[in-house]
Amino acid sequence: MTAMASETTTTNAPAAPPRHTAGAAGTAWRGRGHRWAARWGPYAHIAPFFVLFAAFGLFPLLYTGWASLHRVELTAPTDMEWVGLRNYSRLLTDEFFWNALRNTVTIGLLSTVPQLLMALGIAHLLHCRLRGSTFFRVVALTPYATSVAAATLVFVLIFGRDFGLANWVLGLVGVHPVDWQNGTWTSQFAVSTIVIWRWTGYNALIYLAAMQAIPGELYESAALDGASRWRQLVHVTVPSLRPTILFTCVVSTIGALQLFGEPLLFNGSAGATGGSDHQFQTLGLYLYEQGWVNLHLGRASAIAWAMFLILLLAGAVVALLGAYRRRAR
C-alpha cells in the first residue's frame, strides 16, 4: 500500500519546468528590444526636430498660405473673407512692393559681392602660416556674435550727418558732409556696410574650413611651377572652392531677401517705412509694415509667400546653372 501511494503521488505531481525556460524568455525579450531599438531608435532620435519643425515651421507656412487667400486683419485673425488671388494680383500693381524689391536686390548686391570677396581674401590670409592665427579667427567671428541692434546703433553714429565719423573722414579730404540716411544710394550703401561688417568673418571661416580640406600637394606643385600666392589663390584655391562659394552665395541671397533688422534700426524715427521716401525699405520691412503696422495680415501673408516664391525661383536658376556647367564638362 505504501509503495502504491508513493507511486501514485509521484505520478500525479506536475513536472517541474526546465530551468532554462525563464532565461530563454528573457533573452527573447531582449532580442526583440534590440531589434526594435535598431529599427525605430533613429526615428526616435530625430523625432524632436520634426515635432518642432511641424509646430514652428510647417504650420506657420501653411497658415500664411491660407491667410494670403483671405482678407483678414491682425485685430481679428479668425474673421476671414475669401478673396482668392486678389492679394497677389494687388502686388503686381503695388509700387511700394516693387520699390521694396528693387531696394532688396540693390542692398543684396552691394553687400553680398564685396562681402564674399573680402571673406575669400581673409580666409586665404588665415590659411597661411600666420602667428596667432587662432586669435585672428576669433576676431573675424566677433562681428557675427554681435547683436544686430548693437551693431546697427554703432553704425548709425558712424554715418551721422552732423557728427558722424564717416563725414569727419570725408571732411579731411575736402568732401562736404553727406546725409547718409535720407539719400537713396547713400542709405543703401550704409545699410550694406552693416551687413558686410557682420557677415564677412562668418563666411571667411566657412572658406577657411573648406581650404583646409584642399590637398597640400596641389599647392606644392603650384609652388614648384613658380606660382605666387595670388596665382595659387586664383588657379588652385578658387576652383577647389566652387561648391563652397556656391553655398555661400545661396545663403547670402536668402539672408539678403530676409534683411530686416539693419534697415529697421538704421533710421529709428522712420520705423518700417525705410526712410522718408522708402529709399531703403526692403521686402522684410514692407511685410512688417503691412502686417504689424497697417494690420493687414492677408496682404502680409501674400508678401511672405511672394518672397518664398522668389527664393524658389533663385534656387531653380542656381540648380540649372549647376546642371549646365556639369553638362558642359
Side-chain angles (χ1 to χ4, degrees):
M1 292 289 294
T2 305
M4 292 178 62
S6 176
E7 183 179 354
T8 304
T9 304
T10 304
T11 304
N12 296 334
R19 293 183 178 180
H20 66 276
T21 303
T27 303
W29 278 105
R30 284 194 296 270
R32 293 174 185 173
H34 286 308
R35 286 194 299 270
W36 186 92
R39 183 175 181 179
W40 301 105
Y43 296 100
H45 290 146
I46 64 176
F49 165 77
F50 286 102
V51 172
L52 293 176
F53 173 75
F56 300 101
L58 185 60
F59 173 74
L61 182 67
L62 297 178
Y63 178 79
T64 53
W66 179 251
S68 67
L69 303 175
H70 295 77
R71 179 185 293 112
V72 53
E73 301 297 321
L74 189 62
T75 54
T78 57
D79 297 335
M80 292 186 175
E81 178 185 353
W82 176 266
V83 294
L85 299 177
R86 187 180 303 173
N87 288 325
Y88 294 96
S89 62
R90 291 186 61 175
L91 293 180
L92 299 177
T93 57
D94 188 355
E95 59 177 337
F96 294 108
F97 172 79
W98 292 108
N99 174 72
L101 180 59
R102 284 193 301 269
N103 294 340
T104 302
V105 173
T106 303
I107 295 175
L109 291 175
L110 289 176
S111 60
T112 300
V113 176
Q115 173 193 151
L116 297 183
L117 292 176
M118 292 171 59
L120 188 62
I122 294 173
H124 183 66
L125 292 176
L126 294 176
H127 188 55
C128 302
R129 294 183 178 180
L130 186 67
R131 288 186 178 182
S133 59
T134 303
F135 170 76
F136 289 107
R137 293 175 188 177
V138 174
V139 170
L141 195 60
T142 300
Y144 171 71
T146 307
S147 68
V148 178
T152 305
L153 292 177
V154 170
F155 274 87
V156 167
L157 298 177
I158 293 176
F159 289 104
R161 182 187 61 182
D162 299 323
F163 304 103
L165 179 63
N167 281 338
W168 178 76
V169 174
L170 292 177
L172 296 178
V173 295
V175 179
H176 294 290
V178 177
D179 192 354
W180 296 95
Q181 292 183 342
N182 291 324
T184 300
W185 287 101
T186 55
S187 60
Q188 294 178 6
F189 173 79
V191 173
S192 302
T193 305
I194 306 173
V195 179
I196 293 172
W197 182 82
R198 290 196 69 239
W199 291 97
T200 298
Y202 174 82
N203 288 299
L205 292 185
I206 293 179
Y207 289 149
L208 177 62
M211 287 179 183
Q212 292 176 345
I214 300 175
E217 294 81 2
L218 297 178
Y219 291 103
E220 293 176 1
S221 301
L224 291 176
D225 292 338
S228 61
R229 287 284 186 182
W230 169 253
R231 295 184 67 86
Q232 291 179 21
L233 173 64
V234 174
H235 297 287
V236 177
T237 305
V238 173
S240 302
L241 292 181
R242 283 176 182 171
T244 307
I245 293 174
L246 179 61
F247 167 77
T248 54
C249 289
V250 172
V251 173
S252 299
T253 302
I254 295 174
L257 192 64
Q258 298 176 342
L259 192 62
F260 175 74
E262 291 86 348
L264 177 66
L265 299 174
F266 182 66
N267 191 349
S269 60
T273 60
S276 57
D277 198 26
H278 302 266
Q279 63 266 21
F280 57 92
Q281 185 182 49
T282 60
L283 284 175
L285 273 184
Y286 186 56
L287 185 154
Y288 177 79
E289 181 185 28
Q290 289 296 316
W292 279 262
V293 178
N294 299 334
L295 306 179
H296 301 319
L297 187 59
R299 296 182 192 175
S301 300
I303 297 170
W305 267 84
M307 295 168 62
F308 179 64
L309 295 176
I310 292 173
L311 284 178
L312 291 181
L313 181 61
V317 171
V318 172
L320 290 176
L321 291 177
Y324 175 77
R325 292 196 58 175
R326 289 191 297 269
R327 203 177 300 115
R329 292 176 186 177

